[in-house]
Amino acid sequence: MKKEFIFSDVNKLKGVGAQLTKYLKKKRIDKIKDIILNLPYSETDRSKIIRLDQLEVGKIQSIKVLVKKLNFPRIRNLPNKINCQDESGKIEIVYFNSREGYLRKLFPINKWVIISGKVNYFNKKYQMTNPDYVTSLENQEYVIKNIPKYSLTKGINEKKYRSISEQVINNLPNIDDWLDQDFIKKNNFIDWNSCIKNLHKSKESKDNQSKSFRRLVFDELCANFISLSKNRQRIKIKKKSKKFNNKFSELIIKDLPFELTSDQKKVLSEINSDLLSNKRMFRIIQGDVGSGKTIVSLLTILNVIKSGYQCAFMSPTAILANQHYELARNTFKKNNLKIEFLTGKTEYKKKKEILNNLANGKIDLLIGTHTLFQKKIIFKKLGLVIIDEQHKFGVKQRSDLAKKGGDNCDVLVMSATPIPRTMMMSLYGDMDISKITQKPANRKSIITLSKPEKKINELWPYIEKQLENDNQIFWVCPLINESAFLEYSSAENKFKLISDRFKNKVGLIHGALEKEKKQEILKKFLEKKISILVSTTVIEVGIDFPNA
């Protein structure tokens, strides 16, 4: 029964109906275990009762007041108002779209109540609009305290989520610890049940040195290593070694307008050893944007095709996939390779032709987006899968993709995200790791400067000069705080500011945009139809904007 409770659906909880289940799913909360592991990131301080003559506008505060009058206007859409007071002043509690019967029960006339919410000032009166908590004096201990603050989504308020979370934590079954008791004592750990309860009910979730936090981190890392170890045993199976020599790739290297770095040569040698071995390759290339991962992957593709196999190259976006397609066509123009491009937008007739040729072995290399995952994409003899921007995918997807070409299919993934070695081992322990740290000789130095916001006007002459020299500019607005709305607003405000100075030369991209619109704006920037791209940190990684 203990295990069943933890892995039950959230709709088994009291007060969680179909609509709330839908909102929780947006936060990836499907099971009760997800609530257990969704830790608070902060606290809301409601611990002090404030007199009405000491209220601070814009703050969340708790008050103890006497209910004096209830006003329920008979004109539709007007708010309901409750007049309250204490010995030092008056306040108006305002409700929109609330039932009269509910409010009469919540605010009995001439009774003292505890109210907690954000304080406003309107028409020379203090107000609280739709306060978070209203309760009797007998129940004030539930409100007057520091209350855990969780990352929530639209449709779920703090009060509602708190009732769900407390329902789970208070009914948490006493789980038999999976760690040996001697091991727990030796490492100064605490038991799992105490760890979870502490993390939800105290400040320990924010203290990464606390016993509770460290215990959960250990569990996660240990479970991840076990999972990756099992996965590695499953995927590192025997295969037929690829048969090729390096003469074709050497001709490509000779024709390149640049010389490969020693890191690129080293990584290529590691990959070739994997291909020639009788163990399936499962390798990640980690290197900064512009370090030359793509050319290494193309040289790998050529060797695999010359071994008599097909290759698949998958990217997270159509723009990036199309760039790889054009680069591959240009790189292999002397090799008579059959290369095709496939995305979800490919016309039905063309897609049908590609699928048919793919199954018959008439396509050597297929480049595309997530569409390559689809079951109907069948290769005649797939020998290599390459995934660009690996951080978009998880362990299971890597494993599933490795199975797509059967036992003889090697897998190579690439990531431009800088990852420390320890974390790399945690995230990609099922893979062999290659790193490209050297920059190509012709790459310009990166200069980083800092200016305060108040000196923004000093940037305009510099930007004007760059545009005169036919250069392009990224203007990235980072996350301000937990609010996605504020991040969006920041980019919107900068977009308006910059557009006023550089009319018809500025584009805006952020997470709230539809995928198609995002692709359209990136395409305009790539084609130099706009010169400045204002963006949140959602901006795509890996796309080659040589002019920016």
Side-chain angles (χ1 to χ4, degrees), residues 195-324:
C195 155
I196 294 298
K197 287 178 180 177
N198 288 347
L199 290 171
H200 281 274
K201 292 187 174 182
S202 75
K203 295 181 179 179
E204 290 202 14
S205 63
K206 301 181 294 300
D207 178 8
N208 60 14
Q209 297 302 313
S210 71
K211 283 188 176 183
S212 302
F213 191 91
R214 290 171 69 82
R215 168 64 207 263
L216 204 62
V217 168
F218 175 83
D219 281 13
E220 187 173 337
L221 288 174
C222 191
N224 199 38
F225 276 124
I226 292 169
S227 170
L228 290 170
S229 175
K230 292 290 182 186
N231 197 44
R232 192 176 181 87
Q233 288 173 16
R234 189 165 62 251
I235 62 175
K236 279 287 181 179
I237 57 176
K238 286 192 174 182
K239 61 155 192 185
K240 289 181 183 177
S241 64
K242 306 287 192 292
K243 305 293 182 187
F244 62 90
N245 60 52
N246 291 323
K247 67 177 183 180
F248 297 104
S249 58
E250 284 169 0
L251 287 172
I252 296 285
I253 293 169
K254 192 177 177 182
D255 282 347
L256 291 174
F258 53 86
E259 189 175 336
L260 294 183
T261 64
S262 58
D263 271 2
Q264 286 174 307
K265 291 173 184 175
K266 179 173 173 283
V267 170
L268 192 57
S269 175
E270 290 170 347
I271 292 169
N272 286 343
S273 294
D274 286 346
L275 296 178
L276 293 166
S277 77
N278 61 357
K279 291 278 182 69
R280 180 195 285 175
M281 175 175 74
F282 218 58
R283 182 174 291 277
I284 179 169
I285 306 178
Q286 200 270 313
D288 197 4
V289 174
S291 61
K293 300 184 297 295
T294 307
I295 189 62
V296 170
S297 69
L298 291 179
L299 293 168
T300 303
I301 284 169
L302 184 62
N303 285 337
V304 172
I305 291 172
K306 293 302 179 181
S307 303
Y309 289 89
Q310 295 169 296
C311 298
F313 194 136
M314 191 173 75
S315 296
T317 66
I319 288 183
L320 186 51
N322 188 62
Q323 283 200 334
H324 289 323

Side-chain angles (χ1 to χ4, degrees), residues 301-543:
I301 284 169
L302 184 62
N303 285 337
V304 172
I305 291 172
K306 293 302 179 181
S307 303
Y309 289 89
Q310 295 169 296
C311 298
F313 194 136
M314 191 173 75
S315 296
T317 66
I319 288 183
L320 186 51
N322 188 62
Q323 283 200 334
H324 289 323
Y325 172 66
E326 294 298 338
L327 179 61
R329 285 180 62 192
N330 186 53
T331 304
F332 299 137
K333 59 189 174 189
K334 295 180 182 177
N335 294 87
N336 295 320
L337 302 185
K338 180 62 177 172
I339 306 170
E340 286 291 359
F341 178 64
L342 183 68
T343 71
K345 296 272 185 181
T346 304
E347 292 179 2
Y348 175 76
K349 187 177 178 182
K350 179 65 177 173
K351 186 175 182 178
K352 191 175 178 183
E353 179 192 331
I354 290 172
L355 294 185
N356 187 50
N357 288 339
L358 198 65
N360 291 326
K362 294 179 181 176
I363 293 175
D364 298 309
L365 170 61
L366 182 62
I367 299 175
T369 55
H370 294 75
T371 308
L372 304 192
F373 264 133
Q374 294 177 359
K375 287 183 180 179
K376 55 188 172 186
I377 308 294
I378 299 168
F379 293 80
K380 183 178 182 181
K381 194 179 180 183
L382 182 62
L384 175 69
V385 167
I386 296 180
I387 307 173
D388 197 11
E389 296 309 328
Q390 158 61 24
H391 61 278
K392 305 276 186 181
F393 308 95
V395 173
K396 186 178 185 300
Q397 287 168 310
R398 296 202 297 263
S399 180
D400 288 347
L401 200 56
K403 296 172 188 172
K404 195 169 180 69
D407 292 347
N408 294 318
C409 181
D410 292 303
V411 177
L412 182 67
V413 299
M414 300 189 289
S415 175
T417 309
I419 305 170
R421 186 180 180 278
T422 308
M423 191 179 290
M424 178 75 82
M425 292 303 295
S426 303
L427 294 173
Y428 304 116
D430 57 333
M431 294 182 175
D432 294 309
I433 300 165
S434 293
K435 298 190 88 171
I436 300 177
T437 56
Q438 287 178 314
K439 295 174 185 175
N442 60 347
R443 188 176 175 188
K444 291 180 183 176
S445 300
I446 295 171
I447 301 169
T448 304
L449 303 173
S450 175
K451 275 190 182 294
E453 182 79 16
K454 62 185 178 184
K455 291 189 177 181
I456 195 170
N457 288 333
E458 293 179 14
L459 284 174
W460 305 132
Y462 172 78
I463 291 173
E464 284 166 0
K465 185 179 177 183
Q466 295 302 317
L467 298 187
E468 283 170 12
N469 292 338
D470 206 26
N471 288 327
Q472 291 172 288
I473 291 170
F474 284 107
W475 191 304
V476 183
C477 302
L479 182 67
I480 299 168
N481 59 20
E482 292 80 14
S483 168
F485 172 75
L486 284 177
E487 182 189 25
Y488 163 81
S489 299
S490 169
E492 276 275 332
N493 293 337
K494 280 291 187 294
F495 172 68
K496 287 171 186 171
L497 177 70
I498 300 165
S499 293
D500 286 343
R501 298 192 68 92
F502 304 99
K503 297 194 183 297
N504 304 318
K505 291 184 178 181
V506 190
L508 171 66
I509 183 172
H510 51 74
L513 278 183
E514 290 182 4
K515 190 176 179 180
E516 289 75 17
K517 185 68 178 171
K518 205 187 297 180
Q519 300 281 7
E520 181 189 326
I521 293 167
L522 284 171
K523 191 168 183 285
K524 279 185 178 179
F525 190 61
L526 192 62
E527 294 172 352
K528 296 172 67 174
K529 291 177 181 174
I530 54 177
S531 301
I532 304 172
L533 185 62
V534 180
S535 168
T536 59
T537 48
V538 75
I539 187 68
E540 299 294 343
V541 211
I543 300 177

Side-chain angles (χ1 to χ4, degrees), residues 55 57-58 78-79 81 83 90-94 96 118-129:
L55 290 177
V57 175
L78 285 180
K81 296 181 180 179
N83 296 332
K90 297 179 179 180
I91 191 169
E92 201 170 54
I93 311 300
V94 180
F96 289 90
K118 184 179 277 190
V119 179
N120 300 310
Y121 197 77
F122 182 70
N123 277 348
K124 299 181 180 179
K125 293 179 186 175
Y126 283 116
Q127 283 187 343
M128 272 192 196
T129 301

Side-chain angles (χ1 to χ4, degrees), residues 67-81:
V67 179
K68 296 303 292 180
K69 187 179 179 183
L70 284 75
N71 299 300
F72 300 108
R74 299 307 169 195
I75 301 172
R76 199 175 176 182
N77 295 330
L78 285 180
N80 298 318
K81 296 181 180 179

